[in-house]
Amino acid sequence: MNSSMHLAPPPLTGGKLVLATIAVALATFMNVLDSSIANVAIPTISGNLGVSVDEGTWVITLFAAANAVSIPLTGWLTQRVGQIRLFVAAIVLFVFSSWLCGVAPNLLVLLAARVLQGAVAGPLIPLSQAILLGSYPKERSSTALSLWAMTATVGPIAGPALGGWITDSYSWSWIFYINIPVGLFAAAVTWVIYRDRDSLPRKLPIDKVGLLSLIAWVASLQIMLDKGKDLDWFNSPVICTLAVVAAVSFLFFLIWELTEKNPIVDLRLFAERNFRGGTIAISVAYAVFFSNLVILPQWIQGYLGYRSVDAGLVTAPLGIFAVLLAPVMAKVLPKSDARLLATLAFLGFAGVFFMRSHYTTSVDPYTLVLPTLLQGIPMALFFTPLTAIILSGLSPEKIPAAAGLSNFTRVFAGGVGTSLISTGWNERTILHHAQLAEQSSVNNPDYMSSIANLRATLGGGMDQATAFFEHSLNAQAAMLGLNDIFWLSSMIFIAIVPLVWLTRPAKGGGAATAVAH
């Protein structure tokens, strides 16, 4: 008898359901938090380990690459090992790798630990979705998805603020040590509650060729995207080589997986209309959302002079409405068309980014925080309906594979989006700088008048006034470039609305709820 044929256990109830939800949510939160918490600590980590900041950024790059490779393997590993055994093992190994990161005496050990951490983190998010869906009655599946979405969205938001505070107040090692008690609690509770509810493992052949080609194209593309800007993109032979390896191995991977009897990644899921439309929509939306979440603190710190902790606090209000509205979503989704809720989310995001496209270099904290606070509303309408659409109508044994593949696509799109948006911001800043600099000529009376006013105000010479003017010009160019990115982001959210309406509503006219048992 295989895992798809045995009778699924009944839903959990009472205190056991509450405790199980907390444990699974904490494992999700720990994982998602760790993908962003190290970002603000890179300068400190690099300084303490005696390496450059560029070398230090490999701490983020290698985690992302290993994580991207392992996420789509979730479906195959689940069938091979069992859902609960794989989930608990992943948590325990995540805790161990977090400890290794904290005690790392040099960069090499830290990078090796981060590769392990990223690899074992892969199954946690898709399995947490599947486990929660199997723990709740079918009619309350939207509640399960809402609780999952709440933890998945708060993590990236809390990461920069928490990472900055821990690094400033204690030691960078503690951004990894905090995973240890959280992970041990989540693993212990999950095992005690779910060990008798595990899916039966199956002896599956290993698709070695598919696995190797997956590793080749994902790792090379991830490293290319992360390092492209630093190495001047295709002017670098390293980037050109990575691009060729990624392209060739990706094409080979597609052909092989679509013709393999037991593929390592089930690409045939894209033949499902709702899976295809929902996955593309959530991936594009997440790419725009996440990339802006990365560059906004960079601008706040680099050009407005905010500390890393304060920059994190500016983005923190994003989680307020996302958390408060999660229980509301659980009640609304079963009675609503998930496509309509997703459309409202995209339009809400478009409005928020349009507000930001009017920022100026003298923006005050209130104007910075207001769009961030309001963005929590579409955040609450974002993950749950789209996840419901993606998983709707799938049989129980396909849920882990579908969740793994859709999460892989979403997370990978976030990495691609961040690279493209960062490069786009840089290019637009250079363009605006060149346009503004054209006006900075001794033949321009307005420019000379500004320099004269600066000399009078600063009480310095021509060099000091010119340097101050150049600093202001740089800040203005970066601001104009960022406004372009915000405006483009707003338009992208409007453009992807039709994708949602290419999917089918759930049978019975309600929300597209996933069948988990």
Side-chain angles (χ1 to χ4, degrees), residues 295-380:
I295 65 171
L296 184 60
Q298 290 179 6
W299 170 68
I300 291 172
Q301 291 179 70
Y303 293 95
L304 300 186
Y306 283 56
R307 296 179 306 158
S308 59
V309 177
D310 297 328
L313 290 174
V314 167
T315 59
L318 181 57
I320 294 176
F321 279 121
V323 172
L324 291 178
L325 293 177
V328 178
M329 276 301 301
K331 295 188 184 314
V332 170
L333 183 57
K335 304 171 187 176
S336 310
D337 188 331
R339 300 173 301 176
L340 178 60
L341 295 174
T343 298
L344 292 175
F346 289 165
L347 295 177
F349 276 125
V352 165
F353 284 113
F354 186 74
M355 289 173 67
R356 285 186 177 143
S357 70
H358 293 86
Y359 278 166
T360 65
T361 51
S362 58
V363 64
D364 59 272
Y366 172 79
T367 308
L368 275 178
V369 169
L370 181 60
T372 304
L373 177 66
L374 294 177
Q375 191 172 338
I377 298 174
M379 277 293 295

Side-chain angles (χ1 to χ4, degrees), residues 212-465:
L212 290 174
S213 59
L214 173 71
I215 293 171
W217 80 262
V218 170
S220 55
L221 183 57
Q222 184 72 48
I223 294 170
M224 183 192 92
L225 292 169
D226 279 7
K227 292 298 176 184
K229 185 179 175 183
D230 296 336
L231 299 177
D232 197 21
W233 288 106
F234 295 103
N235 291 319
S236 163
V238 174
I239 296 298
C240 291
T241 302
L242 287 169
V244 171
V245 172
V248 172
S249 52
F250 175 68
L251 287 174
F252 180 84
F253 171 79
L254 281 182
I255 296 168
W256 182 271
E257 293 298 279
L258 288 172
T259 54
E260 171 66 18
K261 184 179 178 182
N262 294 293
I264 199 82
V265 179
D266 188 6
L267 296 178
R268 297 177 185 89
L269 284 164
F270 280 104
E272 299 280 348
R273 182 169 165 181
N274 278 17
F275 181 86
R276 181 175 64 250
T279 297
I280 294 172
I282 201 171
S283 299
V284 174
Y286 185 79
V288 178
F289 159 75
F290 185 75
S291 56
N292 276 277
L293 196 63
V294 171
I295 65 171
L296 184 60
Q298 290 179 6
W299 170 68
I300 291 172
Q301 291 179 70
Y303 293 95
L304 300 186
Y306 283 56
R307 296 179 306 158
S308 59
V309 177
D310 297 328
L313 290 174
V314 167
T315 59
L318 181 57
I320 294 176
F321 279 121
V323 172
L324 291 178
L325 293 177
V328 178
M329 276 301 301
K331 295 188 184 314
V332 170
L333 183 57
K335 304 171 187 176
S336 310
D337 188 331
R339 300 173 301 176
L340 178 60
L341 295 174
T343 298
L344 292 175
F346 289 165
L347 295 177
F349 276 125
V352 165
F353 284 113
F354 186 74
M355 289 173 67
R356 285 186 177 143
S357 70
H358 293 86
Y359 278 166
T360 65
T361 51
S362 58
V363 64
D364 59 272
Y366 172 79
T367 308
L368 275 178
V369 169
L370 181 60
T372 304
L373 177 66
L374 294 177
Q375 191 172 338
I377 298 174
M379 277 293 295
L381 300 171
F382 172 47
F383 272 106
T384 310
L386 285 170
T387 303
I389 290 171
I390 289 167
L391 301 181
S392 64
L394 295 176
S395 55
E397 67 272 15
K398 286 188 175 181
I399 294 287
L405 185 53
S406 65
N407 274 287
F408 161 73
T409 308
R410 175 180 61 82
V411 170
F412 202 71
V416 173
T418 300
S419 182
L420 293 176
I421 290 289
S422 298
T423 302
W425 180 29
N426 187 55
E427 294 297 322
R428 296 300 296 178
T429 298
I430 292 171
L431 175 66
H432 285 296
H433 187 280
Q435 291 173 342
L436 292 170
E438 288 177 3
Q439 309 300 318
S440 309
S441 166
V442 291
N443 298 319
N444 186 336
D446 293 334
Y447 169 73
M448 294 308 295
S449 175
S450 298
I451 292 294
N453 290 334
L454 283 173
R455 291 184 65 181
T457 303
L458 299 173
M462 187 71 175
D463 289 345
Q464 186 180 356

